[in-house]
Amino acid sequence: MKVLLIGSGGREHALAWKLVQSELVEELLVAPGNPGIAMLPKTLNVALDVDNHEEIVDYVKACGIGLVVVGPEAPLVAGLADVLRANNIPVFGPNKAAAELEGSKAFSKEMMAKYNIPTAFYKICEDVETAKAYVEEKGAPIVVKADGLAAGKGVVVAMTKEEALAAIDDMMGDMKFGAAGARVVIEEFMDGEEASLLAFTDGKTVVPMIASQDHKRVGDGDKGPNTGGMGTYAPAPVLTPELRQKAYETVLKPMVAAMAKEGKTYQGCLYAGLMVKGDSVKVVEFNCRFGDPETQVVLPLLDADLAEIMLACDNGTLDRVTINWHDRAAVCVVVASEGYPGSYAKGKEISGLDEAPENTVIFHAGTKEVDGKVVTAGGRVLGVTGFAADIRAAKDKAYEAVAKVKFEGAFCRKDIAWRALK
Ligand code: AMP
Ligand code: GLY
């Protein structure tokens, strides 16, 4: 079977790396892909306009593609999966109505409230006055979220009332996130430790993956501004087997059932961002796709055929697939460009990419090929994953590989997985 993967980041490199291991996959086409993806066996990057759904359908039909895997959220929220399914093309990823779980924080909160899925209390506000009055009533700390997609930047965790009020002005007054901030969700600040629990689902059967933890702040010790994610590890011990089971029973399973009941059957990867405190597990957010860089640690632990699972998620037979996990750990360290998450230079030549030691993989996140050389092209440049018997050894492996790759202005956090090792 030929598979088309949509996307170009570290998550897509990890998806591609796992997909080409499948015997079902004869050829993997990736639109637009990246230089790391292009180096995989059986793989070819293709230039397609991802926003042009008709062009994708025509391409898929012309090439005889048997499965389309959508990496990022934007095409899902825009309805790419709907168009493909309407053309009888198997696709991994939810339809537009189901992707609203990520596409609209208000919808997501309303679903959780309606189906008693544990989360922070909240209010959906359509205008500045209502929003500010709610902040005055509740006080700080409090969290202000733009309703729509804002590339991970639409959330302000306000430690003071003033910060919250300023965030409301930014989002609703100055429209800092455009239409995404026309409506905001204001919610209770939840204390605790975060974990990401992703699940495969065909709309009925739900199979949770191994829990992971992301490091969102740019600096060691979780200090400094938020980023897209500076590193991950799995399994995350904060989600004990009991709590993972609890998250499955009180979050993932009821949400998938609720979506089916609402006529918005959810198929693909459902990502639950969780806040764990003691034996309480509450939802921070849902995403409609794999996490980045969670995928770079979760998929190396998957001991099953990813293409088989993805097809089963589309055709409703996930209950017939055996999904095992390797009894080992993985750690991913993101190597970023100096200045990130602020502005940074691009075009720096990267060396050492082919020197990854055994049991490590260098996933490309923001790279580009120029005149036969691989250069930096983003803030997060590489995701370097190591695997080993336990987190400590996996961390050592990852940093061993990080030491091999060099470019001007490269930096990474030195403490990935610290919470697991403390
Ligand atoms: P989100 O995009 O909803 O995941 O929010 C981004 C980040 O903001 C999360 O990963 C959390 O670190 C933080 N956050 C979001 N909502 C809350 C909350 N209710 N309480 C505390 N932290 C939160
Ligand atoms: N690593 C966070 C996310 O993928 O949303």
Side-chain angles (χ1 to χ4, degrees):
M1 167 177 75
K2 283 189 189 179
V3 176
L4 173 67
L5 168 65
I6 308 284
S8 64
R11 164 183 49 213
E12 286 75 26
H13 191 171
L15 286 163
W17 173 84
K18 190 68 190 174
L19 281 168
V20 296
Q21 294 172 30
S22 165
E23 284 180 8
L24 296 173
V25 179
E26 287 160 49
E27 189 179 13
L28 179 66
L29 301 150
V30 191
N34 68 37
I37 291 173
M39 283 186 252
L40 291 168
K42 313 191 264 194
T43 304
L44 190 68
N45 286 342
V46 292
L48 287 177
D49 178 4
V50 175
D51 297 327
N52 186 339
H53 297 175
E54 294 308 315
E55 183 185 326
I56 306 258
V57 169
D58 290 346
Y59 180 82
V60 164
K61 286 186 174 165
C63 295
I65 283 163
L67 170 68
V68 179
V69 178
V70 185
E73 63 277 14
L76 293 167
V77 172
L80 176 58
D82 304 57
V83 177
L84 292 165
R85 288 199 172 98
N87 283 276
N88 295 317
I89 299 162
V91 49
F92 183 79
N95 281 348
K96 184 183 169 88
E100 279 295 280
L101 270 188
E102 175 167 4
S104 166
K105 292 194 188 285
F107 171 75
S108 169
K109 294 297 281 192
E110 283 176 328
M111 284 294 292
M112 287 187 262
K114 183 168 176 189
Y115 291 93
N116 288 315
I117 293 168
T119 188
F121 68 72
Y122 71 101
K123 186 176 175 81
I124 298 167
C125 302
E126 310 274 350
D127 59 74
V128 177
E129 293 68 39
T130 316
K132 287 190 171 176
Y134 190 66
V135 167
E136 292 291 350
E137 178 196 331
K138 293 292 173 190
I142 195 157
V143 182
V144 182
K145 302 186 173 186
D147 176 44
L149 289 186
K153 297 186 181 79
V155 175
V156 174
V157 180
M159 285 302 148
T160 64
K161 228 159 64 175
E162 290 64 39
E163 271 177 82
L165 297 174
I168 292 168
D169 281 330
D170 279 351
M171 289 179 198
M172 306 189 88
D174 302 342
M175 303 295 273
K176 196 170 162 191
F177 302 110
R183 202 151 60 143
V184 300
V185 174
I186 300 185
E187 68 176 41
E188 170 199 11
F189 171 80
M190 294 185 286
D191 189 24
E193 194 174 328
E194 282 180 76
S196 307
L197 186 61
L198 286 58
F200 293 111
T201 181
D202 62 1
K204 309 181 297 267
T205 302
V206 180
V207 181
M209 302 185 210
I210 298 284
S212 55
Q213 190 174 64
D214 189 6
H215 298 59
K216 293 203 167 129
R217 303 296 195 93
V218 75
D220 284 3
D222 296 321
K223 303 268 161 38
N226 253 318
T227 69
M230 293 301 291
T232 40
Y233 63 94
V238 63
L239 215 65
T240 60
E242 295 72 33
L243 290 177
R244 186 165 168 271
Q245 183 64 22
K246 186 170 182 174
Y248 168 68
E249 278 164 18
T250 64
V251 173
L252 293 166
K253 231 176 128 198
M255 185 50 94
V256 168
M259 293 297 284
K261 192 154 178 238
E262 297 281 325
K264 299 177 178 184
T265 300
Y266 192 103
Q267 292 170 281
C269 173
L270 180 60
Y271 169 132
L274 303 171
M275 191 66 83
V276 181
K277 178 136 207 231
D279 64 0
S280 132
V281 177
K282 289 185 185 175
V283 176
V284 177
E285 62 165 345
F286 282 107
N287 291 322
C288 65
R289 36 82 192 163
F290 278 91
D292 191 347
E294 284 90 339
T295 311
Q296 291 89 314
V297 290
V298 170
L299 290 185
L301 302 183
L302 177 63
D303 184 14
D305 185 322
L306 183 60
E308 183 190 6
I309 296 172
M310 288 178 156
L311 282 174
C313 286
D314 181 66
N315 67 27
T317 56
L318 190 59
D319 60 338
R320 289 187 228 150
V321 182
T322 308
I323 302 179
N324 291 318
W325 297 90
H326 292 291
D327 184 17
R328 65 182 182 188
V331 171
C332 174
V333 177
V334 169
V335 184
S337 302
E338 185 178 2
Y340 177 77
S343 59
Y344 49 83
K346 293 183 186 174
K348 305 292 177 192
E349 187 177 345
I350 310 170
S351 66
L353 288 170
D354 48 11
E355 290 173 39
E358 206 187 333
N359 292 326
T360 69
V361 189
I362 298 171
F363 294 116
H364 291 222
T367 69
K368 201 166 103 178
E369 198 180 311
V370 178
D371 300 331
K373 290 177 180 152
V374 179
V375 303
T376 65
R380 294 190 295 169
V381 177
L382 304 167
V384 181
T385 296
F387 9 99
D390 58 37
I391 300 264
R392 191 172 299 277
K395 175 182 174 177
D396 290 345
K397 279 306 278 188
Y399 281 104
E400 191 189 319
V402 166
K404 305 276 183 196
V405 288
K406 298 199 165 61
F407 59 88
E408 193 190 320
F411 81 96
C412 66
R413 277 182 61 163
K414 301 284 186 263
D415 65 343
I416 299 305
W418 71 272
R419 286 178 198 274
L421 299 171
K422 69 178 182 260

